[in-house]
């Protein structure tokens, strides 16, 4: 049984059709990287998986069950899925440590001391142990994004969603975030990553899904996809992004 | 809202600085002249006679009366603040609710309460509630009136604060599995309160001053006590007594603002050492004052 599967998912914003007939399933431990031109619906699809966006057609199954629509069940499902945003979205009024303990303490009901111990371990792992007592705005973009990844991991998720995690970063900070993600991928975490980083897709993905105009045009292992894309759209896209 | 030093214009050049200096000198001269004029006139009429102002020393009952008035004012204000903050939170939550009925009810309540004069609400509580078979003391009539009006205003302040917070904050909290109420309490409200704290404090100061409306329903707060004293002692004591009362209001409200600033600083310090924030520190703390 796949961990997540999207079956015939469609969505419109008014007259604007953003997702059409999306079919994708992700197995436990798999790393799927979603690429494609801007406005192809990649982010929207990613946000639908933990129901930050609702869908109009089809269905999404998580651990074999349809996504709950609301209430306690929805919150419980979201607690099992980590999400990393383009703009980090660390809680501005809380220290980094408190950002990491909020979820475990209030949602999972862990003891504060226990949650703090685990939070410090995770900060160590993403290389910012010394920032625990600082506020998000005191950190660089790359450090904030690593803290955001640690915050998601603090919930011990079974799936991690990355919504363009490096798009808001200065170029020199992109690699520090990608390194953390690469380490996470090789540790066996199930990941769905929406990104423009082709290097990451090639080296870390088990599968690449290429999206254009709200559809998944092509899905293939990275070596196949980058060396011999089957669709015209993908060839065109790769020709443009890989030329320089 | 970033604090820029340039709010209205470029920094002044040499000519501008000269003009500002002349302008300030003229304004100072005019102000000093008016003050001198007022004091001379008051002295001519014998209003500054030591005997008039010694009334506070000569009459211990007057001191007790004003002190009791101040306590009554503070009691009504503190109760009103706590209840208004609570009502404000409920109304704000109602207006932001996903349920249409709640939203509609809260919106109606806020619009209604906000558009009535506080005085009318107090009179309604005092005269209207007994007509409905519900006896209320003057204290509670005043507090209910103040709570109803200020709760509606505070709810709009809370709502504006919450709406000014980046949507990503809410999404991140929801993505962790927090329920909507937890998102409000732990992520939105603490940030909203800090962002809106100047507005919140000025509204609480307004509430404190509006306790003087208890006057009309014969609640013996500071203003009514003072006026009673003037009537008893004679109107020639009006100036000293009202001046002292004004000072009492000014000092009380000054202390309230200081308390708010202190709480804000303490909160910043605590943030620096890694403690979590307490949601309503500023507002609840002022209320306790």
């Amino acid at each position: 049984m796949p961990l997540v599967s999207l079956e015939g998912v469609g969505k419109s914003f008014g007259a604007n059709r953003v997702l059409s007939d999306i079919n994708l399933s992700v197995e436990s431990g798999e790393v799927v990287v979603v690429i494609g031109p801007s406005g192809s619906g990649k982010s929207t699809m990613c946000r639908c998986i933990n129901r930050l966006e609702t869908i109009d057609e089809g269905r999404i199954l998580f651990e074999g069950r349809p996504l709950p629509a609301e209430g306690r069940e929805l919150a419980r499902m979201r607690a099992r899925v980590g999400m990393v945003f383009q703009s980090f979205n660390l809680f501005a009024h809380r220290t980094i440590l408190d950002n990491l303990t909020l979820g475990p303490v209030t949602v999972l009901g862990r003891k504060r001391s226990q949650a703090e111990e685990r939070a410090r371990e995770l900060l160590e792992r993403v290389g910012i142990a010394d920032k625990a007592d600082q506020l998000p705005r005191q950190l660089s973009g790359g450090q904030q994004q690593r803290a955001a990844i640690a915050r998601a991991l603090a919930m011990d998720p079974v799936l991690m969603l990355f919504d363009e995690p490096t798009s808001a970063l200065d170029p020199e900070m992109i690699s520090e975030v990608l390194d953390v993600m690469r380490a996470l991928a090789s540790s066996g975490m199930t990941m769905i990553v929406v990104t423009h980083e082709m290097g990451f897709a090639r080296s870390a993905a088990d599968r690449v899904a290429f999206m254009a105009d709200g559809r998944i045009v092509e899905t293939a292992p990275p070596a196949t996809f980058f060396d011999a894309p089957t669709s015209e759209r993908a060839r065109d896209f790769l020709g443009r992004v890989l030329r320089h | 809202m970033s604090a820029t030093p340039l709010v209205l214009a470029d920094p002044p050049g040499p000519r501008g600085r000269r003009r500002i200096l002349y302008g300030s000198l003229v304004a100072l001269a005019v102000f000093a002249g008016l003050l001198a004029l007022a004091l001379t006139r008051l002295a001519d009429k014998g209003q500054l006679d030591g005997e008039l102002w010694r009334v506070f020393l000569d009459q211990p009952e007057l001191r007790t009366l004003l002190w009791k008035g101040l306590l009554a004012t503070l009691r009504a204000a503190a109760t009103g603040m706590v209840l208004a903050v609570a009502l404000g939170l409920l109304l704000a939550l109602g207006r932001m609710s996903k349920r249409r009925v709640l939203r509609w009810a809260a919106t109606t309540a806020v619009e209604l309460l906000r558009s009535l004069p506080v005085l009318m609400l107090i009179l309604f509580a005092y005269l209207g509630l007994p007509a409905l078979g519900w006896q209320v003391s003057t204290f509670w009539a005043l507090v209910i009136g103040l709570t109803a009006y200020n709760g509606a205003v505070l709810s709009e302040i809370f709502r504006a604060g919450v709406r000014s917070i980046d949507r990503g904050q809410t999404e991140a909290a929801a993505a962790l599995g927090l329920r909507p109420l937890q998102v409000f309490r732990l992520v939105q409200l603490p940030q909203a309160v800090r962002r809106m704290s100047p507005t919140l404090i000025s509204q609480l100061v307004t509430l404190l001053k509006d306790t003087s409306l208890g006057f009309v329903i014969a609640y013996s707060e500071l203003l009514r006590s003072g006026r009673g004293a003037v009537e008893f002692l004679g109107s020639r004591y009006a100036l000293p007594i009202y001046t002292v009362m004004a000072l009492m209001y000014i000092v009380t409200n000054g202390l309230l603002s200081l308390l708010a600033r202190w709480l804000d600083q303490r909160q910043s310090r605590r943030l620096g050492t890694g403690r979590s924030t307490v949601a309503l520190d500023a507002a609840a703390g002022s209320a306790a004052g």
Side-chain angles (χ1 to χ4, degrees):
Chain A
M1 179 184 75
L3 184 62
V4 185
S5 54
L6 289 79
E7 300 174 353
V9 169
K11 179 177 177 63
S12 307
F13 288 120
N16 188 13
R17 196 152 174 78
V18 287
L19 296 178
S20 311
D21 192 31
I22 299 278
N23 292 288
L24 179 72
S25 49
V26 178
E27 300 290 332
S28 221
E30 208 181 5
V31 176
V32 174
V33 173
V34 184
I35 59 177
S38 299
S40 58
K42 317 183 289 290
S43 274
T44 308
M45 181 186 80
C46 183
R47 290 162 56 84
C48 285
I49 295 172
N50 67 353
R51 219 174 184 281
L52 286 181
E53 303 277 355
T54 54
I55 58 176
D56 302 330
E57 299 151 27
R59 60 177 194 161
I60 299 178
L61 302 180
F62 176 72
E63 296 180 318
R65 282 186 303 272
L67 290 191
E70 60 196 340
R72 194 179 301 277
E73 293 72 31
L74 176 62
R76 204 172 286 157
M77 172 257 151
R78 280 173 171 164
R80 296 174 58 73
V81 177
M83 176 130 192
V84 175
F85 299 85
Q86 181 177 341
S87 47
F88 330 135
N89 297 343
L90 290 170
F91 304 125
H93 63 302
R94 292 176 157 255
T95 62
I96 298 302
L97 191 71
D98 284 343
N99 263 276
L100 266 68
T101 54
L102 178 67
V105 171
T106 49
V107 177
L108 305 178
R110 295 212 179 126
K111 281 210 204 72
R112 174 161 284 278
S113 55
Q114 200 187 344
E116 282 186 4
E117 194 178 325
R118 170 95 174 114
R120 289 188 195 278
E121 261 172 47
L122 286 165
L123 289 176
E124 185 81 47
R125 194 165 136 197
V126 301
I128 48 171
D130 54 328
K131 306 292 179 192
D133 293 328
Q134 302 203 347
L135 288 174
R137 63 169 170 274
Q138 296 170 296
L139 273 60
S140 73
Q143 292 168 337
Q144 286 192 47
Q145 193 60 300
R146 285 185 280 155
I149 294 173
R151 173 177 67 180
L153 291 176
M155 298 292 288
D156 294 324
V158 295
L159 167 69
M160 286 282 287
L161 303 173
F162 293 82
D163 183 7
E164 304 206 21
T166 56
S167 298
L169 292 175
D170 291 334
E172 78 271 22
M173 293 173 184
I174 290 179
S175 66
E176 64 188 54
V177 172
L178 291 181
D179 287 345
V180 167
M181 291 168 59
R182 216 170 263 127
L184 191 59
S186 52
S187 78
M189 174 63 73
T190 315
M191 294 163 61
I192 298 178
V193 183
V194 173
T195 187
H196 292 286
E197 296 298 326
M198 298 303 143
F200 177 81
R202 198 189 266 272
S203 64
D206 295 313
R207 241 179 341 139
V208 172
F210 174 72
M211 283 185 76
D213 302 324
R215 292 172 189 278
I216 293 183
V217 179
E218 191 170 341
T219 313
T224 322
F225 176 78
F226 285 106
D227 298 334
T230 52
S231 66
E232 185 61 36
R233 284 301 307 259
R235 269 200 297 278
D236 184 47
F237 174 76
L238 287 176
R240 254 180 284 169
V241 295
L242 297 179
R243 191 175 303 143
H244 50 85
Chain B
M1 280 197 301
S2 66
T4 48
L6 302 181
V7 181
L8 289 175
D10 295 330
R15 187 146 38 105
R17 277 201 296 275
R18 224 165 29 240
R19 273 192 200 152
I20 289 171
L21 179 66
Y22 294 154
S24 308
L25 287 177
V26 171
L28 200 66
V30 170
F31 180 70
L34 284 174
L35 190 68
L37 186 68
L39 286 177
T40 345
R41 295 291 296 262
L42 285 174
D44 284 350
K45 303 247 176 204
Q47 286 284 344
L48 298 181
D49 289 359
E51 182 261 328
L52 279 182
W53 291 79
R54 257 199 310 276
V55 66
F56 296 103
L57 301 175
D58 300 342
Q59 302 270 359
E61 294 88 350
L62 176 59
R63 290 204 303 271
T64 321
L65 187 74
L66 290 184
W67 177 243
K68 278 192 176 151
L70 179 66
L71 287 184
T73 285
L74 290 179
R75 206 158 61 90
T79 317
M81 282 174 191
V82 171
L83 294 179
V85 165
L87 178 67
L89 286 176
L90 282 180
L91 288 173
L93 270 176
R95 284 198 83 166
M96 293 184 295
S97 163
K98 270 185 234 136
R99 270 168 231 149
R100 187 176 307 178
V101 185
L102 271 180
R103 220 162 49 221
W104 184 83
T107 307
T108 314
V110 169
E111 294 303 334
L112 221 66
L113 293 174
R114 261 200 324 166
S115 47
L116 290 171
V118 196
L119 188 52
M120 252 192 88
L121 290 168
I122 294 170
L123 284 174
F124 175 78
Y126 188 59
L127 305 169
L129 290 182
L132 298 172
W134 199 10
Q135 292 303 323
V136 285
S137 63
T138 53
F139 172 80
W140 281 108
L142 175 62
V143 167
I144 290 171
L146 289 174
T147 301
Y149 178 76
N150 289 283
V153 175
L154 288 177
S155 83
E156 288 295 275
I157 296 175
F158 289 136
R159 202 165 64 104
V162 167
R163 284 177 67 172
S164 74
I165 293 164
D166 185 64
R167 213 177 110 203
Q169 296 280 310
T170 315
E171 286 184 350
L176 282 178
L178 267 68
R179 309 288 305 277
L181 265 179
Q182 293 174 319
V183 176
F184 179 74
R185 184 167 59 86
L186 297 167
V187 174
Q188 295 180 310
L189 191 62
Q191 298 190 56
V193 167
R194 294 211 69 188
R195 203 168 288 192
M196 303 307 283
S197 73
T199 322
L200 271 174
I201 296 306
S202 79
Q203 190 58 38
L204 294 180
V205 166
T206 305
L207 188 155
L208 194 145
K209 289 190 296 182
D210 282 352
T211 54
S212 59
L213 293 170
F215 192 94
V216 297
I217 54 170
Y219 177 66
S220 301
E221 40 64 63
L222 182 53
L223 183 61
R224 189 173 182 90
S225 307
R227 187 174 143 94
V230 172
E231 270 167 13
F232 181 72
L233 295 169
S235 60
R236 58 200 192 98
Y237 290 104
L239 186 72
I241 290 176
Y242 283 130
T243 305
V244 165
M245 273 163 49
L247 286 176
M248 290 168 89
Y249 276 118
I250 290 168
V251 169
T252 310
N253 283 324
L255 287 177
L256 187 61
S257 302
L258 275 181
L259 179 72
R261 202 171 311 157
W262 178 74
L263 282 169
D264 195 50
Q265 276 164 5
R266 194 185 62 148
Q267 206 174 28
S268 309
R269 266 204 308 280
R270 257 190 322 170
L271 270 177
T273 60
R275 301 303 309 165
S276 63
T277 48
V278 177
L280 270 172
D281 251 13
S286 326

